[in-house]
Amino acid sequence: MSGLIFNIQRFAIHDGPGIRTTIFMKGCPLSCWWCHNPEGICPSVELMWTRYKCIHCQSCVDICPNRALSFDEDRLMLDRTRCTFCGKCAQICPTTALKVVGKWVEEEDIFREIEKDMMYFDQSDGGVTFSGGEPLLQTDFLLQVLPKIKSHQIHVAIDTSGYTTKEDLEKILPYVDLFLYDLKMVDRAKHKENTGVENDIIKENLRSLISKKKHVIIRIPVIPGVNDSKSDTDEFIVFLKSLNDDIEVNLLPYHDVSEKYEALWKKTRNAITKDLDEAVLRIKNKLQMNGLKVKIGG
Ligand code: SF4
Ligand code: SF4
């Protein structure tokens, strides 16, 4: 069985303890407009076009067998209904402005990458992190890869939205040392409005992991105008305190990645960030005053 990934990042230091190899799995059931890895949302291979790298040579337009590419003034346009994602345009692009995102890999491919850094994992108490996208959208593939990684006593972290079935979560539990668990907001309707899905199962799965004494770090992305108000913070506190007083929380400030959305021919919004630093500090202080362990950043 193959898995679809869109990146393997070696020497990562923000995806769990120590030095890590992070494998980014492609495909996510949520559609958060602030996602900083929008190339991880679609569960299939895609094209990405980086405007500043393009020299407008037209080679991609000319080689496409399906006439899926054209220029609208200086902007390359993609007709998805015609594109078969054959990759010929990306192969011929002289500047790598156009590239294919997403690669099908086997278990051995993943392990070959991991093996390169095992020495660093030992020295730094690091390990391997599966991120995305949503890794648990490819649970069957994870179940092929994880036992081999654990057989080498490598620390495994999963960076998840928590939006998965109880059954799939249960299946991977024996192989996971740490869950980096996203909590975007507590209110159900607001969660649906901003991410496309309700959050009941996310909250249930989180309670289940904590009741099973799994190591969980909660990651709250702080998004201006979405979850940074006083009432949002109060809701986070009530919910987090109901889980466990010792829960660790990381606050992840919003970053504008609208260039990536443009590169994927997708639309996004731009958050107003002028008060973001202040909001992050205010949330941090309030969570700490309520006895929670909080850190800014991953
Ligand atoms: S991937 Fe293939 S079909 Fe799609 S635009 Fe490029 S050359 Fe055309
Ligand atoms: S081949 Fe590359 S550089 Fe040339 S027009 Fe296409 S995207 Fe731009």
Side-chain angles (χ1 to χ4, degrees):
M1 175 183 205
S2 308
L4 185 62
I5 65 167
F6 65 94
N7 193 15
I8 296 182
Q9 169 91 56
R10 296 174 64 197
F11 305 108
I13 53 165
H14 298 293
D15 299 323
I19 294 171
R20 311 192 70 81
T21 297
T22 302
I23 295 137
F24 292 88
M25 314 284 296
K26 196 155 161 46
C28 181
L30 279 67
S31 49
C32 313
W33 60 262
W34 59 83
C35 179
H36 63 283
N37 287 328
E39 69 274 44
I41 296 174
C42 171
S44 57
V45 172
E46 287 178 285
L47 283 179
M48 255 181 127
W49 174 70
T50 307
R51 185 191 282 267
Y52 77 87
K53 287 188 179 176
C54 179
I55 55 169
H56 305 96
C57 67
Q58 299 270 342
S59 304
C60 54
V61 175
D62 295 341
I63 203 167
C64 177
N66 303 319
R67 297 187 184 172
L69 294 170
S70 60
F71 271 96
D72 178 6
E73 297 186 354
D74 67 341
R75 180 163 160 67
L76 186 67
M77 305 302 288
L78 171 70
D79 183 343
R80 286 174 199 275
T81 61
R82 287 173 174 258
C83 180
T84 55
F85 300 99
C86 68
K88 286 182 182 165
C89 52
Q91 279 165 18
I92 205 169
C93 177
T95 64
T96 67
L98 203 51
K99 63 176 188 179
V100 173
V101 188
K103 185 177 171 192
W104 289 100
V105 293
E106 307 297 325
E107 173 200 334
E108 307 81 64
D109 301 319
I110 298 280
F111 202 74
R112 212 175 299 122
E113 285 301 310
I114 290 171
E115 266 182 326
K116 292 177 188 169
D117 294 332
M118 291 214 301
M119 186 177 75
Y120 303 108
F121 304 157
D122 284 345
Q123 287 170 358
S124 68
D125 290 329
V128 174
T129 300
F130 287 85
S131 183
E134 171 51 65
L136 284 156
L137 203 60
Q138 301 188 63
T139 299
D140 290 344
F141 180 68
L142 286 182
L143 286 170
Q144 271 183 245
V145 180
L146 291 177
K148 184 159 180 187
I149 299 176
K150 285 315 294 175
S151 73
H152 287 76
Q153 282 87 47
I154 296 171
H155 182 276
V156 170
I158 299 271
D159 180 6
T160 180
S161 66
Y163 192 80
T164 187
T165 63
K166 285 179 192 166
E167 292 74 21
D168 279 357
L169 190 63
E170 198 72 34
K171 282 184 206 163
I172 64 154
L173 276 191
Y175 311 109
V176 180
D177 302 290
L178 169 65
F179 286 88
L180 301 169
Y181 203 102
D182 288 359
L183 185 66
K184 291 152 177 81
M185 57 213 73
V186 177
D187 183 82
R188 187 189 201 208
K190 196 166 166 180
H191 196 277
K192 167 103 177 150
E193 185 192 326
N194 285 283
T195 70
V197 301
E198 285 166 358
N199 58 4
D200 305 68
I201 189 71
I202 294 172
K203 291 193 273 188
E204 272 174 47
N205 283 337
L206 180 54
R207 282 194 195 285
S208 161
L209 288 177
I210 287 170
S211 70
K212 291 185 168 90
K213 310 266 185 255
K214 295 301 292 187
H215 186 193
V216 177
I217 297 177
I218 298 201
R219 295 183 138 189
I220 300 178
V222 180
I223 315 300
V226 173
N227 64 355
D228 63 340
S229 71
K230 191 176 167 305
S231 61
D232 290 310
T233 310
D234 291 343
E235 285 176 7
F236 277 128
I237 290 167
V238 171
F239 178 69
L240 293 169
K241 298 279 288 179
S242 76
L243 296 172
N244 181 338
D245 273 344
D246 285 337
I247 199 86
E248 294 168 70
V249 182
N250 291 348
L251 299 177
L252 308 179
Y254 164 84
H255 287 293
D256 179 358
V257 290
S258 47
E259 274 180 18
K260 276 194 184 183
Y261 285 84
E262 185 198 25
L264 291 159
W265 296 277
K266 284 184 178 172
K267 287 197 167 64
T268 186
R269 291 183 233 166
N270 279 332
I272 297 163
T273 54
K274 73 177 172 51
D275 299 325
L276 179 60
D277 291 348
E278 197 186 309
V280 172
L281 262 183
R282 176 175 33 80
I283 297 167
K284 178 177 180 251
N285 290 341
K286 191 137 187 215
L287 297 186
Q288 277 178 335
M289 273 162 50
N290 281 274
L292 293 154
K293 293 182 198 160
V294 194
K295 188 177 107 177
I296 297 174

